[in-house]
Amino acid sequence: MKLVGYINRAIVVLSAIALVLASCVLTYSVLLRYFTPEPTDWQDEFSVFLLIGVSFLAAAWVHSQRGHIGIEALASILPPKVNRVRLFFVDMLSALFCAFFAWKSWTLLAEAWTEGYVSATAWAPPLWIPYSLMSVGMTLLTLQIVLQAFRPLPPPAPPTEVPL
Amino acid sequence: MSPFTLGLLYGGVTLLVMFSGMPISFSLGLVATVFMFFFMPTSALDTVTQNVYEEMSAITLLSIPLFILKGAAIGRSPAGRDLYSALHVWMHRIPGGLGIANVFACALFAAMAGSSPATCSAIGSAGIPEMRKRGYPGGFAAGLIAAGGTLGILLPPSITMILYAVAAEQSLGRLFLAGIGPALLLVAFFAAYAAWRYSREVSRAEEGSALLATESYTLGQKFAALPRVLPFVLLLTGVMVALYGGFATPSETAGLGAILALILIALIYNTWRPRQLEPIMANTIRESSMLMLIIGMSLFYSYVMSYLHISQSVAGWIVAQHLSRWVLLAAILVMVVVLGFFLPPVSIILMTAPIILPPLKAAGFDLVWFGVIMTIVMEMGLIHPPVGLNIFVIKNIAPDIPLGDVVWGIVPFVILMTLAVAVLCFLPEIALWLPDKLIT
């Protein structure tokens, strides 16, 4: 449990760095295009990899705060005892899906690694990079969901954090 | 099973799973995978992850976390308060100027931060206490801020519009521009209502009421309020110039905006230490991961829907009803409103676009124009119960205004927004003139 906490903490720091780095790369891309005739070929894709990494790796930490939003209508009407059972079932189903997704990510990663898949762009970076981020992220998420299903709930995150 | 029956089953199962309270992203992924297992070749299951990755790995979509970063950086800084006080100092002489200043502050801040809840909380935490101190009713103050905050998803750069542009395969540049006219229309409506409401409250006010108190600011005070606000207005215009001057793509604009926002809060508010940046980054990461997973799974969900010919046959069925244009539009908008009771705009757009856009196109509606209309209708979902995200934000910053007052305060604004939708139906030029003029 503690280990998961440390991993999540490290991922948040890395994600923060990745976000700022992606912003820098895209800004660099604008400047490069403005001041030099050089083509901007790797910046977009490099940022895509960073941001895919943030999205998947941070997913477990987000779940640890119950930050993946759902429809809470039922939770507010059910009696607390029934609600706990409902949440347990929902968590198990979520874990099942995430485990399946993680498994398929790992097989995809293995395939990309052995077959040497690269992205279909001029820069052509190997695809095992984003696939590995996805695999690790979904595995951690599955682990987090299972661990959390078996211990008492922290209070849900306030709904003010959603951006739309 | 016919695609139509399959579609009903798909929709029904999705609703069931979602209402169980399972996070939206996992529900969509789970339902799509289960249907893949039963109704598609077994080999399809091996492509689930590749599919999600390919749908997500577009830089236009992945610029969303950077827009969120920019919004969080500005939203968590005191910029909202400063913007608000500057406008207040400049506009206090106009009758109802305080309310109008709040509307303007919301619009400007929304354009800088690109987020409705962030706008509500930044402008509202300064504006609501100020309005109440001056004798404005609490419900009105709350309604004004809740409605003003929704301008965040109509003004560029709006995350909702990025998703609509991707789902409808429309030009993001055009869509962003098309949101500006209608946003100004809403600002005008809100401001006019604020002024009218003020005059009505004043005519009823008793001697000595805070509403009748006058105040004055010297010219020096007026100019002293500017230096902290101008950089952010410059950021706003700079980013727009970069985007429309052809210097940057929308995703590069996101990166540029985020960097500039971080530099500005470091220079103006001295916010640069890791400890100070932590809440900004944590908030951005939380929102980004949550949203990107919903987006990836929604796209995967609609891929399965279209592989099974569900979207095509339901869209075909709608076309075959030969509804008149406006009945079709009204029916679709009602559906969007109802979905807005439960779902965030992101999922509404990505899940319904493949079904509702072909009939609308066949009926001769401009899809950029519809994007704007749909955005306004989804904005209403942000301020009416039961989800009404902005209502929660208002409850957080002004817990002593009773919920009933807040909801009643919001009703006039929902009516004004409905009116704006009607005006846009008769005068689509309000949305389309600017993009037609600037983008050929």
Side-chain angles (χ1 to χ4, degrees):
Chain A
M1 201 72 238
K2 244 192 169 159
L3 181 69
V4 176
Y6 285 132
I7 295 177
N8 280 339
R9 179 82 207 139
I11 283 174
V12 171
V13 175
L14 282 178
S15 301
I17 296 171
L19 279 170
V20 175
L21 188 60
S23 307
C24 290
V25 167
L26 289 170
T27 306
Y28 169 71
S29 173
V30 179
L31 298 177
L32 194 71
R33 185 161 343 102
Y34 187 70
F35 289 109
T36 72
E38 270 176 63
T40 50
D41 51 0
W42 56 271
Q43 289 86 346
D44 273 15
E45 210 159 13
F46 185 70
S47 313
V48 164
F49 287 1
L50 287 172
L51 295 166
I52 282 277
V54 172
S55 309
F56 281 101
L57 289 179
W61 174 70
V62 174
H63 184 76
S64 76
Q65 314 193 333
R66 294 266 166 199
H68 292 287
I69 56 163
I71 299 176
E72 295 295 335
L74 207 57
S76 54
I77 38 176
L78 288 179
K81 246 188 187 154
V82 186
N83 204 24
R84 221 168 299 145
V85 178
R86 173 198 68 88
L87 196 65
F88 185 77
F89 269 102
V90 162
D91 278 349
M92 285 298 112
L93 263 182
S94 304
L96 203 67
F97 168 70
C98 293
F100 170 79
F101 200 94
W103 168 47
K104 288 295 176 193
S105 305
W106 285 109
T107 54
L108 181 67
L109 170 61
E111 203 182 311
W113 179 265
T114 48
E115 307 283 319
Y117 290 162
V118 292
S119 159
T121 56
W123 185 42
L127 280 174
W128 62 259
I129 302 172
Y131 291 166
S132 57
L133 296 169
M134 199 157 80
S135 311
V136 174
M138 289 309 281
T139 310
L140 286 174
L141 176 60
T142 313
L143 209 68
Q144 179 78 45
I145 298 175
V146 173
L147 281 176
Q148 218 162 321
F150 287 101
R151 67 169 187 173
L153 274 180
T160 52
E161 308 285 358
V162 195
L164 301 160
Chain B
M1 204 183 301
S2 80
F4 195 80
T5 338
L6 196 60
L8 289 180
L9 194 65
Y10 198 55
V13 172
T14 310
L15 283 182
L16 203 71
V17 175
M18 277 196 179
F19 272 92
S20 75
M22 185 190 268
I24 294 171
S25 45
F26 307 154
S27 330
L28 292 172
L30 179 73
V31 173
T33 311
V34 167
F35 272 72
M36 229 179 184
F37 176 75
F38 283 111
F39 300 103
M40 282 163 72
T42 347
S43 60
L45 283 178
D46 292 331
T47 63
V48 172
T49 45
Q50 195 175 6
N51 206 302
V52 171
Y53 174 76
E54 275 166 15
E55 299 275 14
M56 268 176 89
S57 64
I59 186 65
T60 316
L61 282 179
L62 284 166
S63 63
I64 290 175
L66 304 180
F67 280 121
I68 298 177
L69 175 59
K70 171 173 159 245
I74 297 177
R76 294 236 157 183
S77 74
R81 193 196 57 210
D82 285 347
L83 178 68
Y84 169 76
S85 25
L87 281 167
H88 174 61
V89 169
W90 280 87
M91 299 180 68
H92 72 281
R93 272 174 183 275
I94 309 169
L98 181 59
I100 301 175
N102 271 287
V103 175
F104 283 10
C106 279
L108 272 175
F109 194 81
M112 295 191 303
S115 149
S116 289
T119 305
C120 279
S121 105
I123 303 299
S125 49
I128 293 180
E130 186 70 25
M131 283 192 276
R132 296 177 77 195
K133 202 168 81 193
R134 313 265 167 192
Y136 284 60
F140 168 70
L144 187 72
I145 294 293
T150 64
L151 295 166
I153 64 172
L154 194 53
L155 284 163
S158 139
I159 292 169
T160 311
M161 285 193 165
I162 295 178
L163 288 167
Y164 181 85
V166 170
E169 294 173 352
Q170 298 294 312
S171 143
L172 182 58
R174 262 182 78 83
L175 194 63
F176 273 173
L177 283 177
I180 295 177
L184 294 179
L185 180 73
L186 281 174
V187 168
F189 279 4
F190 292 170
Y193 175 70
W196 174 79
R197 183 69 192 260
Y198 171 80
S199 63
R200 210 183 63 158
E201 295 289 336
V202 164
S203 67
R204 285 183 189 169
E206 289 157 18
E207 195 68 33
S209 153
L211 269 175
L212 303 174
T214 51
E215 53 188 333
S216 59
Y217 294 96
T218 62
L219 210 57
Q221 278 173 317
K222 285 186 178 176
F223 280 101
L226 289 182
R228 287 194 153 201
V229 180
L230 276 183
F232 288 94
V233 177
L234 285 180
L235 164 71
L236 174 67
T237 36
V239 165
M240 286 297 118
V241 169
L243 182 58
Y244 290 106
F247 300 107
T249 61
S251 41
E252 288 167 351
T253 311
L256 186 68
I259 289 292
L260 289 177
L262 286 173
I263 293 176
L264 278 183
I265 60 166
L267 289 179
I268 300 177
Y269 299 110
N270 223 352
T271 309
W272 53 269
R273 291 182 186 84
R275 184 176 293 277
Q276 295 168 310
L277 292 176
E278 194 189 312
I280 296 175
M281 299 315 288
N283 220 22
T284 308
I285 294 165
R286 182 162 42 231
E287 288 176 6
S288 302
S289 173
M290 183 267 293
L291 261 182
M292 289 314 299
L293 284 197
I294 294 186
I295 291 169
M297 295 304 168
S298 300
L299 288 168
F300 169 57
Y301 178 88
S302 29
Y303 161 80
V304 172
M305 191 159 72
S306 122
Y307 185 97
L308 296 173
H309 284 275
I310 295 171
S311 5
Q312 296 87 330
S313 69
V314 176
W317 178 80
I318 297 176
V319 172
Q321 301 305 302
H322 295 292
L323 300 170
S324 81
R325 289 181 81 198
W326 300 108
V327 175
L328 173 72
L329 182 72
I332 287 177
L333 290 180
V334 167
M335 187 190 76
V336 172
V337 169
V338 173
L339 286 177
F341 286 152
F342 312 104
L343 294 174
V346 201
S347 348
I348 301 179
I349 294 175
L350 295 179
M351 288 165 65
T352 62
I355 293 177
I356 62 174
L357 295 182
L360 284 170
K361 203 172 177 182
F365 286 109
D366 184 304
L367 290 189
V368 167
W369 170 84
F370 179 71
V372 174
I373 297 281
M374 189 173 173
T375 305
I376 299 179
V377 171
M378 287 187 300
E379 279 184 50
M380 294 185 201
L382 286 177
I383 57 173
H384 65 56
V387 189
L389 208 52
N390 289 8
I391 299 180
F392 289 110
V393 182
I394 303 281
K395 278 304 283 177
N396 265 348
I397 47 183
D400 60 316
I401 305 178
L403 189 62
D405 284 11
V406 176
V407 173
W408 278 112
I410 282 169
V411 170
F413 292 95
V414 173
I415 295 172
L416 286 175
M417 288 161 95
T418 316
L419 190 66
V421 169
V423 170
L424 283 170
C425 287
F426 288 108
L427 288 169
E429 292 80 14
I430 295 175
L432 297 176
W433 180 80
L434 194 60
D436 284 345
K437 193 90 186 163
L438 290 182
I439 299 178
T440 44

